[in-house]
Amino acid sequence: MRREELAARAAEHQRRLDGFAHHILVCAGLGCPDNEAIVVALRRAVAERQMENRVLVRKAGCMGLCALGPIVLIQPGEIAYQTVRPDDAAAIVASLGQEPVQRLLLPSDLPFFARQHKNVLALSGRIDPESIDDYLAAGGYGALLTVLTGMRPVDVVRSIQESGLRGRGGAGYPTGLKWATVAKATGDRKYLICNGDEGDPGAFMDRSILESTPHAVLEGMIIAAYAVGASQGYIYVRAEYPLAVKRLRLAIREAERSNLLGRAICGSGFDLTLQIRLGAGAFVCGEETALIESVEGRRGIPRPRPPYPAEKGLWGCPTLINNVETYANIPPIVRNGAAWFAALGTDRSKGTKVFALTGKIRHTGLVEVPMGMSLREIIFDIGGGIPDGHALKAVQTGGPSGGCIPADFLDTPVSYESLHELGSIMGSGGMIVIDETSSMIDVVRYFMEFCMEESCGKCVPCRAGTAQIHRLLTRFQERRATAADLAMLESLCDLVKHASLCGLGQSAPNPVLSTLRYFRQEYLDRMVPAEPDGEVQP
Amino acid sequence: MPVNESTAPPADDTRWQLIDRVMQRLDRRPDALIETLHAAQDAFGYLDSTTLAHIASRLRLPPAKVFGVVTFYNHFRLKPKGEHTLAVCTGTACHLKGNDKMLAWMRDRYHLAPGDTSPDNRLSLVEVRCVGACALAPVFLPDGALVGKKSFGEATAIIEEWLGDAP
């Protein structure tokens, strides 16, 4: 399909949408259970009032405020309803064009929405994730057409480099540099991989992006494949995300039918096929070389790096591997220009970042903010603070690979560098709020148990080290630890961090190290007094 | 695991056609293994030694490789599940919001630890590491349907009612 045909198709769909006086969008993400019953009830209510020609009820992606879901959005008017139940349908439909239903109304100036800056999530909750026409009508695949009709691969790579985009999977490697390496690599076969193995417990940014705007991820991947010269790609998604997998499969099929994937894409000389590979519940497969092993059908055991996948990845060929959110950032960068993106965020951390707010926070859900916003603004202004009169004790970022940031540092602007300086990491975007009712030892032991169970077993420091650290943490939890245990804990953390083969082991001690730094007293409080050494004290 | 190159799956079992289709789509290359295992588990509910032997022979892989992959990934099961399955999420947010209490209650009330199936084959209890619905924590899934934001008392009542055990 050529540019004109796509434009005509988008315009026709937009005309159809414009034909309806009211649009009712129902959040149909995993975070809003019962959404199907709500859609059915709304459609029935519309039919009963014989308004089918004037009111369109659609499933949409995630609207972010999972704490008050299911959310229903009425357009035009931006009227948002919270905690909607199927029996609210009649009242909602009856109110169309009149006074909104007060008891369900979300305040329109809620800081949760007002303070966000949506870029990757801009279409999330606004379009039907299962309709390519909805995405096209919203300007989707326009960036791809711009690239295919007017940019050389080298121009695309340069633009991504100039944007300053860094990997959203956690490590923050400059995306443009990675693309340039793969683009320059020699070899007639190159591969492209999307890392959707969001194994970090407490994080769901990628799930939500895949469920809400699967075509945006595909568009980013197609542009990337063109830029680096890959003609075959894989999307590795967790099997624990069935809805994301379903919508992605549908999106790939629709893109193939519309000649946005396959041979001679949009009449250009560029071919690309994309396939889904399901994960099977192994956290280590989020590590890029383990993921590659898994795509090749083997146990997900990391390979030593170098060589990096950009030189020798899938089946020994140069491979570009980026995270879901990284790919989803590509179409807006192409659309608005590298300078636009580079103007957002901080000096070295550009753009916006999606965070999953969970734990002891009032507005649990998914938010997108410019890099550089302070933790306090994210947690208290957007997140609504800590419920039930409790106080914030720490924020955990980066999951099992990250650290716990105490309340004293809430004014720190969120960037790759600042979080690293605090002994944590940006990670993929999980932000878990911990209040004073939780013990840091319990939280840290939880993460260490996770790493111990998920260690692939290839290298000894990680396999044996995580088990020994877990054993020591259990002694602290049971108030049986000694000064020798504390010394051993610190020494083991150092060893596992520096001697492990891959990121899983190298970062597994981070939660322990950061709590030893900021919450040392909790460890000391759980130690038994030293054994008397036999000497009689005067 | 016994190996027999000539083992062929029962030709009249239509479920094998689905699994074969997955293998064919991927040209029976070794990298089709994990996708094939997913298809087989979806079809049969679990992976028994005969199924694994068939898959190994069709993909021309050593049975030990197949077994190694199956045991590496948490998702694959070597034993059948019960009639019903309760999955309890043990992601970070669910942990902070007390899902360990739920697992302790399952142990006391139904004598099940994660991974167990009741002797009458009625209920399996599984632990899942984060389904990504952290904003609704604590989360559990009776037969795959997500339930979140419930207090401990509400959650246990829902489970008893679901199993027809409500007092």
Side-chain angles (χ1 to χ4, degrees):
Chain A
M1 210 176 270
R2 313 275 169 147
R3 175 186 274 272
E4 302 73 33
E5 288 172 88
L6 278 177
R9 185 167 157 188
E12 191 194 318
H13 186 66
Q14 190 59 50
R15 262 198 306 282
R16 190 180 96 79
L17 294 178
D18 291 343
F20 293 93
H22 305 281
H23 291 248
I24 305 181
L25 294 155
V26 181
C27 176
L30 179 77
C32 284
D34 273 352
N35 59 66
E36 281 184 24
I38 296 169
V39 169
V40 169
L42 284 165
R43 286 194 177 138
R44 193 181 308 131
V46 168
E48 275 165 11
R49 293 179 157 258
Q50 292 165 349
M51 292 169 80
E52 292 102 322
N53 295 329
R54 294 183 48 234
V55 180
L56 183 63
V57 179
R58 278 188 297 164
K59 276 198 219 173
C62 176
M63 304 195 193
L65 188 47
C66 311
L68 299 177
I71 309 268
V72 169
L73 181 71
I74 313 290
Q75 298 277 37
E78 280 294 301
I79 298 162
Y81 292 128
Q82 56 175 317
T83 50
V84 175
R85 298 184 328 149
D87 31 353
D88 295 321
I92 292 175
V93 174
S95 76
L96 291 172
Q98 306 182 26
E99 272 300 293
V101 187
Q102 289 301 328
R103 66 184 168 87
L104 298 173
L105 203 57
L106 261 176
S108 56
D109 55 350
L110 200 67
F112 182 88
F113 294 111
R115 297 292 298 277
Q116 291 192 52
H117 184 117
K118 293 199 177 184
N119 165 30
V120 167
L121 299 182
L123 291 178
S124 182
R126 309 265 148 181
I127 60 168
D128 179 352
E130 298 181 9
S131 160
I132 191 172
D133 286 335
D134 259 27
Y135 185 65
L136 287 169
Y141 288 110
L144 174 65
L145 288 166
T146 305
V147 163
L148 290 181
T149 52
M151 291 172 86
R152 294 170 303 162
V154 56
D155 301 329
V156 182
V157 172
R158 192 181 311 120
S159 172
I160 300 304
Q161 279 182 306
E162 283 168 4
S163 75
L165 174 66
R166 294 169 63 176
R168 298 301 195 231
Y173 190 80
T175 306
L177 192 56
K178 206 186 244 186
W179 287 27
T181 313
V182 181
K184 278 183 210 140
T186 48
D188 31 320
R189 285 184 86 92
K190 291 181 191 174
Y191 292 98
L192 178 83
I193 295 178
C194 174
N195 184 347
D197 191 53
E198 187 173 50
D200 169 358
F204 54 92
M205 300 72 51
D206 296 348
R207 171 185 67 71
S208 192
I209 293 169
L210 289 170
E211 283 176 5
S212 304
T213 50
H215 284 288
V217 180
L218 296 188
E219 186 177 5
M221 287 186 77
I222 304 167
I223 293 170
Y226 173 80
V228 303
S231 57
Q232 168 86 47
Y234 295 91
I235 308 177
Y236 191 92
V237 198
R238 296 180 78 205
E240 291 88 338
Y241 289 172
L243 185 62
V245 173
K246 179 189 148 204
R247 290 188 177 157
L248 204 47
R249 279 197 206 288
L250 182 69
I252 292 176
R253 210 158 47 230
E254 285 203 289
E256 282 169 351
R257 276 195 205 127
S258 309
N259 186 222
L260 292 157
L261 277 175
R263 292 201 165 277
I265 292 173
C266 295
S268 70
F270 166 58
D271 306 337
L272 176 67
T273 53
L274 288 182
Q275 288 183 16
I276 293 179
R277 284 288 184 275
L278 287 183
F283 173 65
V284 70
C285 289
E287 198 280 337
E288 57 183 13
T289 61
L291 188 150
I292 287 171
E293 285 284 319
S294 187
V295 172
E296 292 181 6
R298 287 194 289 271
R299 295 163 70 101
I301 306 233
R303 303 171 181 173
R305 298 184 308 181
Y308 287 89
E311 294 144 13
K312 251 182 126 180
L314 198 57
W315 291 296
C317 301
T319 302
L320 176 70
I321 175 161
N322 280 138
N323 155 273
V324 169
E325 190 183 332
T326 311
Y327 284 123
N329 264 294
I330 304 303
I333 292 176
V334 171
R335 213 161 36 235
N336 304 317
W340 162 82
F341 190 85
L344 290 165
T346 69
D347 190 30
R348 290 178 60 204
S349 299
K350 302 294 187 191
T352 56
K353 178 79 192 83
V354 181
F355 291 103
L357 299 183
T358 63
K360 307 291 179 67
I361 184 165
R362 198 165 277 128
H363 294 156
T364 53
L366 202 69
V367 302
E368 183 172 9
V369 297
M371 294 272 195
M373 186 180 264
S374 74
L375 283 167
R376 186 183 302 281
E377 286 171 279
I378 297 174
I379 293 163
F380 286 91
D381 297 351
I382 294 176
I386 321 301
D388 309 323
H390 291 296
L392 182 137
K393 184 175 183 182
V395 189
Q396 209 283 336
T397 66
S401 314
C404 299
I405 301 165
D408 305 350
F409 296 95
L410 276 180
D411 291 310
T412 308
V414 172
S415 69
Y416 291 101
E417 296 73 33
S418 62
L419 294 181
H420 182 76
E421 273 165 32
L422 290 176
S424 188
I425 58 167
M426 171 79 78
S428 57
M431 216 174 246
I432 298 150
V433 179
I434 298 166
D435 69 11
E436 86 288 355
T437 61
S438 296
S439 136
M440 298 315 285
I441 309 281
D442 174 65
V443 172
V444 165
R445 186 173 163 273
Y446 166 83
F447 282 126
M448 195 50 65
E449 183 186 338
F450 182 83
C451 291
M452 175 178 79
E453 285 175 5
E454 295 297 333
S455 172
C456 79
K458 176 172 178 166
C459 72
V460 181
C462 176
R463 183 182 67 224
T466 52
Q468 292 306 319
I469 295 174
H470 182 261
R471 183 184 63 84
L472 290 168
L473 290 171
T474 306
R475 289 176 67 88
F476 279 96
Q477 190 169 39
E478 295 171 351
R479 299 180 184 274
R480 294 189 288 119
T482 62
D485 289 333
L486 183 62
M488 175 66 87
L489 181 67
E490 296 197 291
S491 138
L492 263 179
C493 283
D494 182 64
L495 183 135
V496 172
K497 190 180 169 87
H498 293 102
S500 294
L501 173 70
C502 85
L504 194 159
Q506 288 161 8
S507 64
N510 283 351
V512 184
L513 290 168
S514 80
T515 47
L516 280 169
R517 178 168 162 190
Y518 298 118
F519 298 94
R520 199 175 186 86
Q521 195 57 43
E522 289 197 29
Y523 287 86
L524 299 178
D525 288 347
R526 286 159 177 266
M527 281 162 56
V528 290
E531 295 276 321
D533 54 8
E535 273 180 44
V536 180
Q537 300 291 324
Chain B
M1 197 168 55
V3 195
N4 183 351
E5 284 297 325
S6 63
T7 357
D12 54 346
D13 192 336
T14 51
R15 291 176 294 188
W16 271 103
Q17 293 169 7
L18 288 170
I19 302 164
D20 270 337
R21 210 173 300 153
V22 171
M23 288 191 266
Q24 266 156 23
R25 182 162 52 80
L26 299 169
D27 301 328
R28 295 201 183 181
R29 288 192 317 258
D31 62 282
L33 177 59
I34 294 174
E35 290 291 299
T36 309
L37 292 171
H38 273 294
Q41 183 161 295
D42 288 348
F44 299 110
Y46 73 109
L47 302 164
D48 66 7
S49 56
T50 330
T51 305
L52 295 182
H54 288 326
I55 291 174
S57 99
R58 290 197 178 199
L59 295 177
R60 296 191 187 84
L61 285 166
K65 281 248 155 155
V66 175
F67 194 70
V69 167
V70 169
T71 51
F72 181 83
Y73 294 98
N74 291 327
H75 182 78
F76 297 125
R77 287 187 302 274
L78 293 163
K79 286 187 199 149
K81 280 210 280 193
E83 226 174 293
H84 296 290
T85 301
L86 176 70
V88 176
C89 183
T90 55
T92 317
C94 292
H95 175 77
L96 280 177
K97 296 215 173 160
N99 255 3
D100 45 345
K101 254 167 68 187
M102 174 88 111
L103 289 174
W105 179 79
M106 284 303 292
R107 199 173 48 234
D108 295 344
R109 175 76 173 80
Y110 291 98
H111 312 291
L112 293 177
D116 289 353
T117 298
S118 60
D120 62 357
N121 205 37
R122 189 153 143 261
L123 177 66
S124 294
L125 176 66
V126 297
E127 200 180 14
V128 283
R129 284 290 195 195
C130 199
V131 293
C134 316
L136 305 183
V139 161
F140 60 96
L141 301 95
D143 283 333
L146 189 126
V147 182
K149 288 200 285 195
K150 300 289 181 228
S151 70
F152 175 70
E154 289 169 328
T156 52
I158 289 170
I159 291 166
E160 283 180 333
E161 201 192 316
W162 168 61
L163 293 169
D165 293 337

